[in-house]
Amino acid sequence: EAGVVQSPRYKIIEKKQPVAFWCNPISGHNTLYWYLQNLGQGPELLIRYENEEAVDDSQLPKDRFSAERLKGVDSTLKIQPAELGDSAVYLCASSPGFRAVGELFFGEGSRLTVL
Amino acid sequence: DAKTTQPTSMDCAEGRAANLPCNHSTISGNEYVYWYRQIHSQGPQYIIHGLKNNETNEMASLIITEDRKSSTLILPHATLRDTAVYYCIVRVATGNQFYFGTGTSLTVIP
C-alpha cells in the first residue's frame, strides 16, 4: 500500500514569490491534514479536511495561505506571497475517517526555504 | 483536547529499555493516548495507542496508569535507530484532532 505522497520534497524561493505543495493521501482516507513544523518544534495543525470540506482551518493564516482538496482526494497548499518566516517543513497526513480510531499517517514533508 | 507534558530530552544506553513518560492529567474518559516518533527529516510515525489497558506491539509497550493521568512508552531494547523525537498525544475517540506538543528527544547512546 502506497503511503502519503508529498511534493516537492524541497523548495527554495525568494520572499514574495508564490509556492504550492501537493499531497496525495492514502487511498480511501477521508481525512486529510496539513501541518507546519518549525525547527525544533512539534507539528502544528494548519487545516483539516473531512472529504472536500475544510472542518478546521482556524490556524491557517488566510491572508497568504490557501488550501483546497478538490474531489476529496489530493490536496494543494499554497502560499502567496511567501515571507521569510514561512521557512519550515509542511507535512501532510491522512487518516481513515471520522468514526475510525485510527492512526495518522504522514508524508515525508516539503521543506520550504524562503530567502 | 487534553494537553500533555513530556520531558524535553532523555538518553538511553543501547540495548537497554527506554522508558518515556507522559503526563496527561486532564485526560477525559473518551480520550485515547497515542505515541508517535519522528526521526530526523522524516514525517512522524505512529507507534502505539491505548485507552485504559496496557498495550504492546512489535515496536513498543504502552503502560497507562489506573487513573489514566500518565503513561509510559517502553522501547524494550533500544537501538541507535530509535534516536528520535517522541510525541505523546491525547485524542478524542470520535474526533480527528491530533495536537502535537514539543515531544521528548531520545538519544540512544552506543
Side-chain angles (χ1 to χ4, degrees), chain A:
Chain A
E1 178 183 287
V4 177
V5 179
Q6 291 188 247
S7 68
R9 189 82 168 85
Y10 303 93
K11 187 73 175 180
I12 301 173
I13 61 172
E14 294 188 345
K15 63 181 180 181
K16 300 185 181 180
Q17 294 298 306
V19 63
F21 304 111
W22 174 80
C23 173
N24 181 241
I26 292 173
S27 178
H29 280 193
N30 299 326
T31 309
L32 184 145
Y33 309 73
W34 283 103
Y35 284 88
L36 162 72
Q37 187 170 29
N38 288 304
L39 188 64
Q41 302 295 313
E44 301 172 33
L45 181 69
L46 287 173
I47 190 169
R48 174 168 62 93
Y49 283 93
E50 299 290 348
N51 298 304
E52 302 91 349
E53 183 182 1
V55 295
D56 184 355
D57 63 354
S58 58
Q59 301 303 311
L60 188 73
K62 298 181 182 64
D63 57 336
R64 297 183 301 106
F65 286 65
S66 65
E68 61 181 10
R69 190 183 185 197
L70 300 177
K71 300 181 181 179
V73 182
D74 295 1
S75 178
T76 303
L77 177 69
K78 298 178 181 178
I79 308 174
Q80 183 170 13
E83 297 179 352
L84 295 177
D86 297 331
S87 295
V89 176
Y90 293 84
L91 293 162
C92 180
S94 69
S95 69
F98 186 77
R99 290 184 175 82
V101 185
E103 61 264 34
L104 212 53
F105 296 84
F106 281 86
E108 294 198 329
S110 294
R111 181 176 295 276
L112 174 65
T113 301
V114 182
L115 302 176

Side-chain angles (χ1 to χ4, degrees), chain B:
Chain B
D1 292 308
K3 292 187 176 180
T4 62
T5 304
Q6 299 176 254
T8 303
S9 63
M10 294 180 62
D11 293 338
C12 177
E14 186 178 16
R16 304 297 292 269
N19 297 287
L20 291 90
C22 180
N23 181 285
H24 32 79
S25 58
T26 60
I27 193 170
S28 300
N30 64 345
E31 289 183 316
Y32 284 71
V33 179
Y34 280 72
W35 283 84
Y36 282 77
R37 74 178 182 184
Q38 187 173 26
I39 296 170
H40 184 61
S41 296
Q42 297 183 20
Q45 174 193 25
Y46 166 81
I47 301 173
I48 198 167
H49 74 279
L51 182 63
K52 295 180 181 179
N53 300 321
N54 299 335
E55 302 287 345
T56 296
N57 63 20
E58 65 278 5
M59 291 181 67
S61 294
L62 174 61
I63 308 298
I64 303 174
T65 58
E66 191 170 345
D67 63 7
R68 303 187 68 239
K69 293 185 177 181
S70 65
S71 61
T72 301
L73 179 75
I74 301 173
L75 308 178
H77 305 287
T79 70
L80 298 179
R81 287 177 293 181
D82 292 323
T83 292
V85 177
Y86 288 77
Y87 296 99
C88 170
I89 301 162
V90 293
R91 175 204 178 196
V92 176
T94 56
N96 280 325
Q97 298 91 341
F98 287 84
Y99 293 100
F100 291 75
T102 53
T104 296
S105 178
L106 175 69
T107 302
V108 180
I109 302 169

